[in-house]
Amino acid sequence: MPHSLFISDLHLSETHPRTTEQFLRFLENVAPQAEALYILGDLFEYWAGDDDLDTPFHRRICEALATLPASCKLHIMHGNRDLLMADAFAATCKASLLSDPTLINLYGQATLLTHGDTLCTEDHAYLQFRAMVHNPEWQAQFLAQPLYQRKAIIGQMLLQSSQSKQSKQMEIMDVSNDAVLELLRQYEFPRLIHGHTHRPAMHIHHADGHTCERWVLGDWDTQANALQIDETGIQQLKLS
Ligand code: MN
């Protein structure tokens, strides 16, 4: 039966070879049967810029994505960690980049896709940081620095994030119910799929007389996982 697959928060990095192997196996054995693969953010632990494509690690991942059969359309959304993925990356992977959020018609059901970090509205410090790094001027300035310098800055940010309890909390902070309701209203009460929080679950939201499902994808550090959706419904796949 025609179906689509959804994954997010793989946080691929050379330091986690097990996750990389699981992902490559998934691309080889599971994804080719789908008519679409949606990666809803944080495919990579970080992305310093498209001029970093030419490393053995990135080449391996991008080649595996590019060799998906043409019958499986590849859609990639930015997460908070790989927001600098751009056109050269997408072309190398033969992917289309999705804006966040994106509303699709999935087997007759309106489905809204988002990474999920914009729903964590109680974390004001994070939203401030997010606004800064999404500013085109900030990005242009950042990308104008040499690659090694950008990597050093990102390494510093990741180190601070893992050392500071407050920033660590940011990763595990859950979405705000009000932000979810606002988004559901704005898009006329679709089904919602997102990642980011690393709290895989299905929630039901009641909004203005509508009942909406919110599916949360899990991260791959804990367990390789995906949602498989066809016209009959949603199935949670555990891949490891
Ligand atoms: Mn994230």
Side-chain angles (χ1 to χ4, degrees):
M1 191 184 293
H3 62 270
S4 299
L5 291 166
F6 296 78
I7 57 175
S8 76
D9 301 279
L10 292 95
H11 294 269
L12 295 180
S13 133
E14 281 189 89
T15 57
H16 288 78
R18 198 178 66 104
T19 310
T20 301
E21 293 312 319
Q22 285 173 337
F23 180 55
L24 294 173
R25 274 206 303 276
F26 168 80
L27 290 181
E28 210 178 304
N29 304 324
V30 183
Q33 279 89 55
E35 58 178 344
L37 170 62
Y38 291 86
I39 304 176
L40 298 187
D42 289 352
L43 170 63
F44 292 103
E45 175 71 356
Y46 72 88
W47 191 258
D50 281 6
D51 52 344
D52 199 19
L53 273 165
D54 201 23
T55 68
F57 178 67
H58 288 154
R59 270 206 304 270
R60 200 166 162 223
I61 304 290
C62 291
E63 270 169 29
L65 288 165
T67 48
L68 279 172
S71 55
C72 178
K73 296 260 175 303
L74 176 61
H75 305 275
I76 302 182
M77 186 178 278
H78 295 106
N80 51 304
R81 288 166 169 272
D82 51 16
L83 75 157
L84 292 174
M85 295 184 307
D87 292 344
F89 163 79
T92 307
C93 300
K94 298 189 183 159
S96 64
L97 291 176
L98 293 176
S99 32
D100 185 358
T102 289
L103 185 68
I104 59 171
N105 179 332
L106 199 58
Y107 311 108
Q109 195 169 339
T111 304
L112 187 67
L113 313 175
T114 178
H115 177 56
D117 55 325
T118 55
L119 296 171
C120 299
T121 50
E122 269 143 54
D123 193 341
H124 303 289
Y126 170 67
L127 288 180
Q128 219 166 25
F129 174 79
R130 188 182 192 279
M132 176 183 86
V133 297
H134 276 262
N135 180 322
E137 271 174 47
W138 184 91
Q139 290 190 2
Q141 266 183 18
F142 184 75
L143 290 170
Q145 300 181 62
L147 181 58
Y148 76 90
Q149 218 160 346
R150 273 176 271 147
K151 285 189 173 180
I153 294 169
I154 291 170
Q156 205 57 39
M157 284 175 174
L158 293 176
L159 191 67
Q160 275 165 12
S161 158
S162 70
Q163 280 170 351
S164 140
K165 261 197 189 139
Q166 211 188 345
S167 313
K168 191 121 196 168
Q169 242 180 348
M170 161 186 113
E171 291 281 347
I172 57 168
M173 192 168 273
D174 208 352
V175 301
S176 127
N177 198 48
D178 288 350
V180 171
L181 290 181
E182 199 182 308
L183 189 65
L184 292 175
R185 265 189 206 110
Q186 198 184 335
Y187 285 87
E188 297 178 351
F189 312 103
R191 169 170 63 189
L192 182 59
I193 303 176
H194 70 83
H196 182 65
T197 59
H198 301 192
R199 296 178 184 200
M202 196 275 273
H203 302 272
I204 298 282
H205 291 268
H206 300 284
D208 306 349
H210 300 264
T211 302
C212 304
E213 291 180 2
R214 175 169 66 92
W215 290 83
V216 187
L217 297 160
D219 64 287
W220 278 47
D221 292 340
T222 317
Q223 157 118 56
N225 69 98
L227 288 180
Q228 180 174 313
I229 306 186
D230 61 31
E231 61 180 26
T232 68
I234 300 193
Q235 211 187 324
Q236 282 175 300
L237 303 185
K238 293 192 170 162
L239 302 158
S240 54

